[in-house]
Amino acid sequence: MNDQPAKKLTHEELELRLAEAEETLAALRRGEIDLLIGDAAAYVLRIRELEEELEATAGQWQAVFDAVSDSVMLMDTRYRIRRCNRAAAAMLGKNAANIVGRPCWEVVHNAGRPIDGCPLLRMKSSRKRETIRLDEGDRQLQMSVDPIYDETGALTGIVHIITDITEQVQLAAERLKLETQLRQSQKMEAIGQLAGSIAHDFNNMLVPILGYADLGLRQAPTESKFYNNLSRIKEAAERAANLTRQILAFSRKQLLSMQLVDLNQVAAGFQKMLKRLIGEDIQLALHPAPDLHLINADPAQLEQVFLNLAVNARDAMPTGGRLTIETANAVLDEAYAAHHPGAEPGKYVMVAVSDTGIGIDAETQQRIFEPFFTTKPEGAGTGLGLSTVFGIIKQHGGNIWVYSEPGQGTTFKIYLPAAADDVLTAAAERSKSTQLAGTETILVVEDEPGVRQLAVETLRAYGYYVLEADGPAEGRQQAEAFNDPIHLLFTDVVMPGTNGRELYEHLSSVRPDLKVL
């Protein structure tokens, strides 16, 4: 321990010590400022980094916002638009400056107040998404509004979305149209099968009535009452047979006499009759296409088509009008076939029959080809005219479509397949023989007794030697037991057990020269 008293500093020493202290204090002060400056610089740098991150995030958000193809607008609780994306400006035909700050009904609908059924007002009470669909000119728009809530459940904003659903609506309508056409096609097919079956059985009953009435008329004196009675029976049976033929035509079971046909010639040859049929107050115009493809068809059946369509056109123009028949070559592609059930791609001949009449509503068009369906008063029509047309066209491998609106007239467009090249180069020669008598042997196979008996008696009356069988089994027995040539197998097609085609295939294997009808 130092007990010596402290040394007293001189004035010069004190000044030196004070100067050293001031220098030290100044140095300390300079260090603090540097630290403060360093902290401030780091703070400013961080703020700049955050601002850059915020700008990048905002840019990304705006890019996503503008990438949405639907119109999107953000609104406040007073329904004023605060922000919109690029699609909204494009859809509304305005720039963002003319959209932001204005109520949506003013921008979207040019209205001074919310429109009827406004989803914004419904959302206010339902507190959930609300939508509405609107027609805007040729566009179909769907508008939806979604509420934005904070953590307390208070409404803080609204998302307003407009979607252009025009294409979806058109696709849905096209799909519904195709489905309706397919169902109608299936229904017509089912009706045709049923009608054809009934008509076939009914026709079997009429054949012997007509046949025996005709045989009786040949034998009875023309002045006798018996002859008159048979004539009335035959007339009534012929009317019934004509009705049956129409049903068979609809069901595509009518016998056709196919040949190469120029549709222009058929229409031109039928022109005089059509003029007499439609009357003087209806103008008939034909527009035949040059170089029209030939078709493989039955000319008589095509005349029936023109006749029935002309009758319908005449009835649709009670005060007069114009009936136009136009032909053209056409090629139907895959796209057309996809939108028209039953149509096949390929080369066709088109014939359009148009009138300027009262037109047909959409509901009637759905049933217009059904047998016995008619809009005419009772007793004014059988309802078989257009169904006959439908069956004839279908049996020819074609299609028929109707285009009409009430008060705008009607057009029936028919597409018939153009004749193939091999048909054009190898058309079969028709027999020119008019000789009705013969001495050949014919095997008649028919399960309907009345039809079989009439065929047998008629053929024998013309000199043919006839073997008869009530079905395929007996037909084979007759052929096996008969040692002389059989020149012709005259057979029904649809029979119990083996059908007529199978019977012919069996008999022709042992009788190669056998012909079949």
Side-chain angles (χ1 to χ4, degrees):
M1 183 175 177
N2 190 0
D3 294 330
Q4 295 180 358
K7 182 180 178 182
K8 188 177 180 179
L9 297 177
T10 66
H11 178 73
E12 291 80 3
E13 290 176 339
L14 286 173
E15 287 181 352
L16 181 60
R17 296 277 183 93
L18 179 60
E20 292 176 351
E22 287 177 349
E23 289 178 2
T24 301
L25 179 61
L28 289 173
R29 286 175 176 171
R30 286 194 301 271
E32 290 176 359
I33 291 174
D34 290 341
L35 288 173
L36 289 174
I37 292 174
D39 290 343
Y43 181 72
V44 171
L45 181 60
R46 180 56 182 159
I47 289 175
R48 288 178 178 173
E49 289 176 350
L50 291 174
E51 287 177 345
E52 290 175 357
E53 291 178 6
L54 184 60
E55 288 177 1
T57 302
Q60 292 173 356
W61 182 89
Q62 186 66 44
V64 173
F65 193 45
D66 286 335
V68 177
S69 59
D70 294 336
S71 164
V72 182
M73 294 178 286
L74 303 180
M75 299 187 298
D76 59 23
T77 56
R78 298 169 61 193
Y79 311 132
R80 295 185 181 276
I81 300 168
R82 293 306 179 194
R83 194 162 193 150
C84 70
N85 67 348
R86 189 180 294 118
M91 180 178 290
L92 299 174
K94 299 177 175 67
N95 56 46
N98 292 329
I99 295 175
V100 174
R102 298 169 61 187
C104 70
W105 52 80
E106 184 178 311
V107 173
V108 177
H109 307 291
N110 293 320
R113 59 184 180 81
I115 64 171
D116 293 338
C118 178
L120 285 169
L121 303 183
R122 299 205 312 270
M123 182 214 67
K124 188 175 181 180
S125 58
S126 69
R127 295 178 60 82
K128 63 180 182 180
R129 164 177 278 214
E130 294 291 346
T131 62
I132 188 173
R133 182 177 292 185
L134 296 174
D135 292 332
E136 293 290 336
D138 58 352
R139 295 189 303 173
Q140 292 274 336
L141 303 179
Q142 179 172 288
M143 302 182 184
S144 62
V145 292
D146 292 277
I148 302 174
Y149 299 106
D150 63 14
E151 64 275 4
T152 67
L155 182 68
T156 60
I158 301 165
V159 180
H160 186 292
I161 301 174
I162 305 176
T163 304
D164 189 333
I165 58 172
T166 305
E167 185 176 353
Q168 294 93 311
V169 171
Q170 291 174 345
L171 289 175
E174 183 67 19
R175 188 182 305 112
L176 178 61
K177 176 184 175 182
L178 291 175
E179 290 174 352
T180 301
Q181 289 178 344
L182 180 59
R183 286 195 297 270
Q184 182 69 10
S185 176
Q186 292 171 338
K187 181 174 74 172
M188 295 290 284
E189 188 70 28
I191 294 175
Q193 292 179 359
L194 176 62
S197 177
I198 295 173
H200 178 76
D201 292 341
F202 188 56
N203 201 51
N204 283 340
M205 301 175 191
L206 288 174
V207 168
I209 295 175
L210 280 166
Y212 282 113
D214 192 55
L215 289 176
L217 287 171
R218 294 182 184 182
Q219 299 170 2
T222 56
E223 297 82 7
S224 67
K225 185 177 181 180
F226 181 63
Y227 185 91
N228 290 334
N229 290 341
L230 285 176
S231 296
R232 293 177 180 176
I233 292 173
K234 183 179 179 182
E235 290 172 1
E238 284 176 342
R239 288 197 297 271
N242 183 59
L243 184 65
T244 304
R245 280 193 294 272
Q246 293 183 68
I247 298 175
L248 287 172
F250 166 73
S251 61
R252 291 167 252 174
K253 295 183 178 180
Q254 185 78 300
L255 293 177
L256 299 179
S257 178
M258 305 295 280
Q259 56 186 278
L260 290 176
V261 173
D262 183 340
L263 201 55
N264 285 341
Q265 293 181 1
V266 175
F270 210 54
Q271 186 173 1
K272 289 185 179 180
M273 178 180 287
L274 288 179
K275 285 184 176 179
R276 290 195 299 268
L277 178 70
I278 61 180
E280 296 181 355
D281 56 347
I282 297 177
Q283 181 182 0
L284 176 63
L286 295 181
H287 298 292
D291 302 322
L292 194 67
H293 297 318
L294 296 181
I295 60 174
N296 195 30
D298 185 331
Q301 295 297 314
L302 295 182
E303 290 181 353
Q304 185 71 32
V305 169
F306 284 124
L307 176 66
N308 288 355
L309 292 179
V311 168
N312 276 275
R314 178 199 63 190
D315 295 343
M317 298 183 287
T319 59
R322 182 182 180 88
L323 175 63
T324 304
I325 300 176
E326 176 186 4
T327 62
N329 293 322
V331 176
L332 304 184
D333 56 17
E334 295 284 353
Y336 183 92
H339 290 82
H340 294 78
E344 295 288 340
K347 293 168 57 177
Y348 287 82
V349 170
M350 186 280 297
V351 55
V353 180
S354 305
D355 65 60
T356 58
I358 58 177
I360 308 170
D361 59 51
E363 183 178 355
T364 302
Q365 290 181 45
Q366 296 297 320
R367 303 188 58 193
I368 198 170
F369 296 117
E370 294 180 11
F372 304 111
F373 174 78
T374 180
T375 58
K376 298 177 182 178
E378 185 175 353
T382 63
L384 286 172
L386 289 178
S387 64
T388 300
V389 170
F390 178 87
I392 291 173
I393 298 304
K394 286 292 185 180
Q395 195 170 7
H396 280 77
N399 290 280
I400 180 170
W401 313 100
V402 58
Y403 304 88
S404 183
E405 291 183 14
Q408 301 298 317
T410 300
T411 295
F412 288 93
K413 278 192 175 182
I414 298 169
Y415 291 90
L416 294 168
D421 293 339
D422 56 345
V423 175
L424 293 172
T425 57
E429 293 186 2
R430 300 180 61 86
S431 173
K432 298 180 180 180
S433 173
T434 57
Q435 178 64 40
L436 297 180
T439 59
E440 291 86 357
T441 299
I442 300 176
L443 171 58
V444 176
V445 182
E446 167 63 62
D447 60 314
E448 183 67 30
V451 176
R452 183 180 68 254
Q453 190 61 33
L454 174 64
V456 169
E457 291 184 11
T458 302
L459 290 171
R460 284 175 177 166
Y462 284 105
Y464 294 100
Y465 184 80
V466 181
L467 305 172
E468 61 175 303
D470 61 6
E474 186 178 355
R476 285 194 296 268
Q477 293 176 2
Q478 290 274 16
E480 292 170 358
F482 193 73
N483 294 324
D484 294 329
I486 298 177
H487 301 91
L488 175 69
L489 169 63
F490 182 36
T491 179
D492 190 8
V493 176
V494 181
M495 295 179 289
T498 304
N499 61 40
R501 183 182 301 277
E502 293 170 342
L503 173 63
Y504 170 69
E505 291 174 352
H506 173 77
L507 295 182
S508 62
S509 64
V510 294
R511 292 177 177 267
D513 296 332
L514 179 66
K515 292 180 174 59
V516 65
L517 179 62

